[in-house]
Amino acid sequence: MTEPDRGAILYEDEDSFRAQRRQAAEDCVAEFRAASALVDGSEARLRPVIKALRALDAFAKEVERLTAQRGFAALPEFKRGTERFDGYHQLTEAPWRGIFLVSRDGGQVVGLVFSRHPHKLEERLGEIAQGYRHIGSDEPEKEESDGD
């Protein structure tokens, strides 16, 4: 008898995914407070903030659903122009985008980059690579000194 499918295990890169996602929520709340001040035009300023906050909530719910159903591999592949990145998939909800590295069986997922439009994915992926550049080398990553 086989065990029932338990869903995927989701890991989030602390600096480039988890911290960015938390900051996005804090920023949306701050923008909401600022936009809701009772002045002329406050209603018009609130609309885009509420829309971004709802999209952020939808993003989080979709990540939960994909985790439970091992569905990350069904997301669109991450591409740059016509170049595809094997194992990388993207989830976009309005201005929010997440880039995920998914194992072949869909059971292991790493949330690599979370960002708001404009996404600037090239530099954000470089940010991730920088943090893991020591992996695979024989020596641990050395910290640079400032001359002291």
Side-chain angles (χ1 to χ4, degrees):
M1 186 170 182
T2 61
E3 278 187 41
D5 190 16
R6 294 185 183 176
I9 297 172
L10 174 65
Y11 305 94
E12 296 178 314
D13 181 83
E14 181 60 40
D15 296 328
S16 193
F17 195 95
R18 182 176 293 146
Q20 297 289 332
R21 185 176 45 82
R22 288 180 180 157
Q23 187 62 51
E26 291 174 20
D27 291 348
C28 279
V29 170
E31 289 173 23
F32 179 85
R33 288 184 178 140
S36 63
L38 294 176
V39 295
D40 287 343
S42 62
E43 184 180 341
R45 289 194 316 272
L46 272 174
R47 278 188 223 115
V49 174
I50 291 171
K51 186 176 180 179
L53 194 52
R54 285 180 179 157
L56 186 58
D57 185 52
F59 181 94
K61 287 178 180 172
E62 184 63 2
V63 167
E64 287 176 23
R65 184 189 73 76
L66 292 166
T67 302
Q69 297 178 1
R70 286 190 176 207
F72 285 94
L75 290 172
E77 291 181 319
F78 175 65
K79 296 188 295 186
R80 182 180 57 202
T82 58
E83 183 181 7
R84 291 191 170 148
F85 292 77
D86 188 37
Y88 291 82
H89 297 269
Q90 61 186 348
L91 171 63
T92 304
E93 288 286 342
W96 313 109
R97 178 175 289 166
I99 305 296
F100 301 89
L101 177 59
V102 184
S103 65
R104 292 192 192 281
D105 69 356
Q108 303 282 321
V109 180
V110 180
L112 289 175
V113 175
F114 176 85
S115 64
R116 184 179 196 158
H117 184 78
H119 301 293
K120 299 180 183 173
L121 292 174
E122 293 293 327
E123 63 188 63
R124 296 296 311 281
L125 286 172
E127 170 186 311
I128 293 297
Q130 216 34 33
Y132 296 98
R133 73 176 185 259
H134 66 282
I135 294 174
S137 69
D138 292 336
E139 297 180 26
E141 184 177 356
K142 295 179 184 174
E143 291 187 23
E144 293 184 27
S145 68
D146 58 2
D148 291 325

